[in-house]
Amino acid sequence: MSNIAQRSNHLSFSHRSRRAFTVPEMLAVVAIIVIVLSILLPSMAGARETSKTAQCANNLHQLGLALRQFTAQRLKNPNSSEMLYDMGKYLGGAEGDMYHCPKATGTLSYGVNPCVSKLLGEGAKVVLLDAKEPVVHYDGTNSTEWLGTVAPRHYGHSMNVLAYDGSVSLQKPAELNPYTSTEILNNRWKPVALCDPRDPTTGGGGCGCKATYYTGHFGGTSATRIDPTLHMPFGGAFLGFNTWNIPLPGSNTSGWDTGSFGSAVWTGKIRADFTETFTFSVACDNEVWVTINGQQILHRSAGGVAGVTAYQDSSPVAMTAGQWVPIEVRLVEHTPGSSPSHVSLKWVSASMPQTTVSCANLRP
């Protein structure tokens, strides 16, 4: 046989030996892959969920350590705003993602006991837990509203919970709902010491609005806390106001200089005591927007001493007694660091004289 014929037979044999899979063989391979994936994927997804739950629990553990550091250094508990926004400094400044649960969809992960400042030697009492709102009220609302506040985002419809003794556990809403039994209220939430959750004079921190301060115009470095009022005359001592401490670098509580303050946003809910129409009034330096229940009711841009101290009225706003509706106030300082700033919101109705909005009528 010639060399050419030998090479031809060799190539023909090699080609036959490398034949493709048949259709039944391919289907069998695909079926095996599908079966393997159906076994592995749920366990992989479960592992990811377990990891997120563990990270969330570790966040609360770190916040529990920060709580211990705070009380050791200052010989008192943090208030609700400090516990919720300002504990990183008690862990060497390494706040990181401590306040963010990886299973939370928004910017807020945890809610606080409004009377955390009054807890003392009450290890089982709740300090923080998975929530959709910054303050979890154990008094003054109802079971339906409470269930809408908490966020059972973990396995088995449960929440990570930090207790005052530093322990972190998974709890179901029914196990912590203070509106279902006096036992849960007294054993898990309410401090032994007197504390009205919506009265700051008794240690309560459950009223007011969530405030975010910015060095720029709604951007740059920011700081967040709960403010008990929307009468905020920071930097305005020369107008006869008390000054208000701005939680930003360079702020000056003695009067004129507003430091690096450029803007602020207050968000929360407002509740009227009467079913009536209300007129809101605002004074500001320099520009402010007020939104009630999704509708902008005021926009004021003021300059000069006479302008910034004058109040501008809104059109009548219909409100229902006892009904909480969203409120947002946005303030801009046009010349940061070179002039004072303030905002003051008042309201009036047929049954109520014009007054600043009480802390008890606001919630974060």
Side-chain angles (χ1 to χ4, degrees):
M1 181 181 294
S2 68
N3 290 336
I4 294 175
Q6 288 177 348
R7 286 197 299 272
S8 176
N9 289 339
H10 175 72
L11 291 172
S12 177
F13 175 79
S14 298
H15 175 74
R16 289 194 302 270
S17 67
R18 294 196 302 270
R19 68 180 180 80
F21 284 111
T22 63
V23 171
E25 290 171 335
M26 287 294 292
L27 292 175
V29 170
V30 170
I32 292 170
I33 292 172
V34 169
I35 292 170
V36 171
L37 288 176
S38 68
I39 295 172
L40 293 178
L41 286 178
S43 61
M44 292 171 63
R48 285 195 297 270
E49 291 302 299
T50 300
S51 175
K52 290 178 180 179
T53 297
Q55 179 59 53
C56 181
N58 183 62
N59 290 348
L60 289 177
H61 174 69
Q62 295 300 315
L63 287 164
L65 294 177
L67 171 61
R68 299 276 77 78
Q69 289 290 327
F70 184 105
T71 55
Q73 291 179 20
R74 303 183 63 174
L75 303 180
K76 65 176 183 178
N77 289 339
N79 61 36
S80 58
S81 183
E82 290 166 328
M83 189 69 230
L84 193 59
Y85 299 114
D86 202 29
M87 300 303 288
K89 66 181 69 175
Y90 297 99
L91 291 173
E95 185 172 300
D97 293 328
M98 185 168 61
Y99 282 106
H100 178 66
C101 173
K103 293 201 69 176
T105 55
T107 58
L108 179 74
S109 296
Y110 307 115
V112 68
N113 183 331
C115 284
V116 62
S117 66
K118 287 290 189 175
L119 296 177
L120 182 64
E122 302 170 73
K125 300 291 173 68
V126 174
V127 173
L128 292 171
L129 75 165
D130 284 297
K132 305 170 191 171
E133 296 185 9
V135 176
V136 181
H137 286 283
Y138 64 77
D139 189 20
T141 180
N142 56 55
S143 181
T144 300
E145 287 195 6
W146 188 89
L147 290 170
T149 299
V150 298
R153 53 174 69 105
H154 298 287
Y155 177 78
H157 196 67
S158 57
M159 309 168 294
N160 271 321
V161 182
L162 170 66
Y164 187 67
D165 63 7
S167 64
V168 179
S169 61
L170 280 172
Q171 302 275 318
K172 294 184 181 298
E175 298 174 289
L176 285 180
N177 189 337
Y179 298 93
T180 58
S181 75
T182 303
E183 181 181 6
I184 294 176
L185 171 66
N186 291 332
N187 292 342
R188 300 307 308 274
W189 290 94
K190 187 177 180 180
V192 173
L194 173 65
C195 180
D196 183 336
R198 289 199 175 95
D199 184 357
T201 64
T202 67
C207 63
C209 286
K210 175 185 175 182
T212 304
Y213 296 84
Y214 300 93
T215 54
H217 289 171
F218 309 116
T221 302
S222 65
T224 304
R225 70 184 182 195
I226 297 174
D227 283 335
T229 179
L230 290 171
H231 176 64
M232 310 290 288
F234 39 74
F238 81 106
L239 297 176
F241 296 139
N242 293 321
T243 55
W244 191 269
N245 181 35
I246 303 169
L248 289 172
S251 63
N252 180 3
T253 62
S254 63
W256 181 273
D257 183 17
T258 57
S260 56
F261 171 72
S263 60
V265 181
W266 292 268
T267 58
K269 293 184 178 181
I270 185 170
R271 178 191 64 184
D273 294 324
F274 309 99
T275 300
E276 294 176 345
T277 57
F278 288 74
T279 299
F280 289 82
S281 305
V282 67
C284 68
D285 183 1
N286 292 105
E287 190 169 9
V288 70
W289 297 260
V290 180
T291 300
I292 302 289
N293 205 17
Q295 298 294 317
Q296 183 177 299
I297 63 165
L298 276 171
H299 173 215
R300 178 166 178 75
S301 183
V305 174
V308 300
T309 57
Y311 283 84
Q312 179 175 316
D313 294 342
S314 73
S315 299
V317 179
M319 302 190 74
T320 303
Q323 183 178 86
W324 292 98
V325 296
I327 182 172
E328 178 185 83
V329 177
R330 302 172 71 87
L331 174 70
V332 165
E333 167 56 51
H334 290 167
T335 55
S338 62
S339 64
S341 292
H342 71 268
V343 63
S344 177
L345 184 69
K346 297 183 178 182
W347 59 345
V348 64
S349 73
S351 301
M352 184 183 73
Q354 187 180 58
T355 183
T356 56
V357 183
S358 168
C359 188
N361 291 96
L362 297 167
R363 76 179 191 193

